[in-house]
Amino acid sequence: MFKKFSKFKLIPPALFLAVLISACLKPAFPRNEFLSDLKHRTFNYFWDLKDPVSGQIPDRYPTRKFYSIAATGFGLTSYLIGIENNYISRAEGREEVLHCLQWLWNSPQGPEAHGIAGYKGFYYHFLNYKDATRYKKVELSTVDTGWLMAGILACQSYFNENDPSEENIRILADSLFLRVDWEWAMNNDANMSMGWHPESGFIQNRWKGYNEAMMIVIMGLGSPAYPLADSAWKSWCKTYQWEDFKGYEHLNFSPLFGHQYTQMFIDFRGIQDSFMREKGIDYFENSRRATLSNRQYCIDNPRGFDDYGENVWGLSACDGPSNIFVSDTQKYKSYWARGASALEIADDGTITPTAAGGSIPFAPEECLSALYYMRNQYKDKLYQEYGFKDAFNLGFSNPGSETKGWFDKDYLGIDQGPILIQLENYQSGLIWNIMKKNKYIIEGLKRAGFSGGWLDQTQTIL
């Protein structure tokens, strides 16, 4: 009976063990495939969820509350990435961009409190799902309008063909940008207001350096229609705080998004203003140091949170598990500007993948390793249809529940954008190279005192 099986040879035990170990150690998802998958899934958030009427992008999903104009700016930028990666055709991307810009240009504008999308060229932070007008009593947002305009200017410079639709995109983009009254938003102050309410006027808080609002100062300096004063950049830099944190001397700001957002659109490698010339680095290197110090803080883990380490790190503004009081010294927050720097520690054990994702160009090995690890370690608890859910907290447990750990149910548009755009910048420099052709960005940088590198060599093309 045993003769009928004699053609099968027994595998030597040592070889069998080697095969078994190799199978166990094989990555659950090869790294190159992971990056391709991450980029495509994250792009689909913007492409699948855009509003068919207004072209606006949801603030979050699957929870649906309102549109975010900043997310719309990131969405417009994402379509360029989609075209270049063959997710969509140029004609499809062109059609959607033109549709969105036409709606923005024709949207209701004015000083009224209701039924309005914007005023003085600025747009309200959030817009209703029903008609894309002001959501409740949110502010007319200067910085969120900035991210909308960044996406619009990227489209203006990208769609450069002699085609009627692309010509219309360029004209609309120009009109939308030139309508923004940056000078009005200064409200006779040295620094720009964070926003305006029709009920009460300008918000008293001002944008002062260093944070994500770098972009709106550069845009305001570059606008020929409502330009900021020559002193605007000096006033912006006046409150900079250069400190050592975790062994890295740099310009501090606690949440990582403040080091990422402007650099999603502007390549600061090799260009410097007077502040950075004095320090001997550029803003790109500054963001590298901020990223690595944020990571080192999580590795040191002074508050003893679960699973923090070399591949589980990243503090930035994101969702959180709750506002439940835990002890005299610690609270779990919901949405919060988490971060770590010499200025402030805001940490409740919640990690957001956009912190590493938005910093990919600054520290690629550390950031990509973290994203890869988190995807393989937490699988579909964290990584689903549109890539990474917004955040997770492994130490949190609901009162009365034996299950430990919280994973967000939502994706956030403003956290999806940095992952997609910065991954593309790391791989191809696409968005950086597009914006190097935009005359308004170039003029803003030069008026701010930047020089060197590509800025001294560039030719402005719309």
Side-chain angles (χ1 to χ4, degrees):
M1 156 172 114
F2 294 103
K3 286 184 180 180
K4 66 195 298 189
F5 295 105
S6 61
K7 63 180 180 179
F8 296 102
K9 295 181 179 179
L10 292 174
I11 299 176
L15 178 60
F16 176 79
L17 182 60
V19 171
L20 181 62
I21 292 173
S22 176
C24 292
L25 293 178
K26 185 179 180 181
F29 202 165
R31 186 153 163 170
N32 288 340
E33 291 182 23
F34 162 63
L35 294 182
S36 297
D37 187 73
L38 172 63
K39 186 157 68 170
H40 202 166
R41 286 179 187 242
T42 310
F43 164 81
N44 285 340
Y45 175 91
F46 298 101
W47 188 251
D48 292 353
L49 301 178
K50 61 188 182 300
D51 180 63
V53 176
S54 66
Q56 300 304 294
I57 300 295
D59 174 66
R60 59 178 61 233
Y61 177 84
T63 301
R64 290 181 176 268
K65 291 186 176 181
F66 36 71
Y67 299 116
S68 159
I69 57 163
T72 298
F74 295 165
L76 290 168
T77 311
S78 79
Y79 306 152
L80 314 184
I81 295 171
I83 294 168
E84 292 299 311
N85 284 272
N86 297 314
Y87 304 150
I88 56 175
S89 68
R90 188 178 182 96
E92 288 175 313
R94 180 172 58 213
E95 180 182 359
E96 184 53 42
V97 168
L98 181 58
H99 168 239
C100 182
L101 297 193
Q102 286 172 332
W103 185 91
L104 287 167
W105 179 250
N106 294 314
S107 62
Q109 305 286 305
E112 297 83 5
H114 305 289
I116 298 296
Y119 180 49
K120 296 282 188 179
F122 294 94
Y123 286 81
Y124 283 101
H125 193 159
F126 300 129
L127 301 176
N128 287 310
Y129 266 124
K130 183 178 179 181
D131 57 5
T133 59
R134 183 191 188 195
Y135 177 76
K136 294 185 177 180
K137 292 188 176 182
V138 299
E139 84 284 8
L140 193 75
S141 175
T142 50
V143 76
D144 291 276
T145 297
W147 304 123
L148 177 64
M149 291 300 145
I152 288 171
L153 292 184
C155 291
Q156 179 187 46
S157 291
Y158 179 81
F159 289 106
N160 58 4
E161 293 184 357
N162 185 22
D163 172 274
S165 293
E166 298 201 10
E167 290 175 3
N168 284 335
I169 287 172
R170 295 194 293 273
I171 292 168
L172 281 166
D174 211 51
S175 299
L176 284 161
F177 180 73
L178 296 179
R179 185 165 69 176
V180 181
D181 193 341
W182 306 102
E183 190 178 20
W184 170 79
M186 299 296 284
N187 189 31
N188 299 316
D189 197 282
N191 298 95
M192 192 178 298
S193 170
M194 290 188 175
W196 178 87
H197 291 91
E199 297 86 357
S200 56
F202 284 101
I203 295 172
Q204 294 304 307
N205 289 335
R206 301 278 163 171
W207 289 113
K208 298 180 180 181
Y210 164 77
N211 52 51
E212 74 276 18
M214 285 180 71
M215 192 68 174
I216 60 175
V217 184
I218 293 168
M219 285 182 170
L221 287 167
S223 170
Y226 300 103
L228 299 184
D230 291 338
S231 60
W233 191 257
K234 184 177 180 180
S235 297
W236 166 258
C237 297
K238 197 172 182 179
T239 55
Y240 277 3
Q241 298 184 64
W242 179 272
E243 304 284 350
D244 180 282
F245 184 65
K246 296 297 177 181
Y248 297 93
E249 284 193 359
H250 65 289
L251 194 52
N252 276 229
F253 182 74
S254 294
L256 275 181
F257 78 90
H259 298 274
Q260 299 168 349
Y261 273 24
T262 299
Q263 297 200 49
M264 290 160 57
F265 295 92
I266 299 177
D267 182 1
F268 282 99
R269 293 174 299 178
I271 67 172
Q272 297 170 305
D273 63 356
S274 60
F275 183 90
M276 285 301 176
R277 276 192 289 273
E278 183 180 328
K279 296 298 182 183
I281 65 169
D282 53 36
Y283 285 98
F284 185 92
E285 169 62 18
N286 196 82
S287 289
R288 186 189 75 86
R289 296 180 186 185
T291 298
L292 294 177
S293 65
N294 188 295
R295 177 177 181 264
Q296 188 60 52
Y297 166 84
C298 292
I299 292 172
D300 294 346
N301 193 13
R303 299 185 181 181
F305 291 118
D306 289 21
D307 274 27
Y308 274 32
E310 63 179 5
N311 286 321
V312 181
W313 60 272
L315 304 180
S316 193
C318 67
D319 278 351
S322 75
N323 285 317
I324 296 174
F325 184 79
V326 176
S327 72
D328 291 338
T329 58
Q330 176 187 320
K331 288 183 179 179
Y332 287 118
K333 301 282 189 176
S334 52
Y335 189 86
W336 191 32
R338 295 166 175 83
S341 76
L343 308 183
E344 180 187 24
I345 304 296
D347 180 19
D348 68 346
T350 302
I351 298 294
T352 178
T354 194
S359 285
I360 290 171
F362 310 133
E365 181 55 38
E366 292 83 356
C367 292
L368 293 175
S369 294
L371 294 174
Y372 184 59
Y373 177 88
M374 289 187 282
R375 189 267 174 242
N376 283 338
Q377 181 72 10
Y378 307 121
K379 300 183 172 61
D380 60 5
K381 290 181 180 179
L382 182 64
Y383 191 86
Q384 296 183 20
E385 182 180 8
Y386 296 122
F388 286 106
K389 291 298 184 84
D390 191 56
F392 61 98
N393 188 312
L394 297 171
F396 177 84
S397 57
N398 283 310
S401 172
E402 295 182 0
T403 303
K404 192 176 181 181
W406 168 85
F407 289 86
D408 202 352
K409 65 179 180 178
D410 279 338
Y411 305 92
L412 266 64
I414 59 170
D415 288 345
Q416 293 285 87
I419 296 173
L420 175 64
I421 295 169
Q422 290 289 62
L423 177 55
E424 185 62 43
N425 278 331
Y426 165 68
Q427 292 178 328
S428 73
L430 176 66
I431 305 305
W432 288 337
N433 291 333
I434 290 169
M435 297 300 270
K436 288 174 185 177
K437 301 174 183 178
N438 192 277
K439 65 182 181 182
Y440 300 128
I441 296 301
I442 292 168
E443 177 66 13
L445 288 169
K446 288 184 174 181
R447 284 196 65 209
F450 283 89
S451 63
W454 65 265
L455 190 58
D456 291 348
Q457 304 163 11
T458 193
Q459 294 181 353
T460 59
I461 306 170
L462 277 183

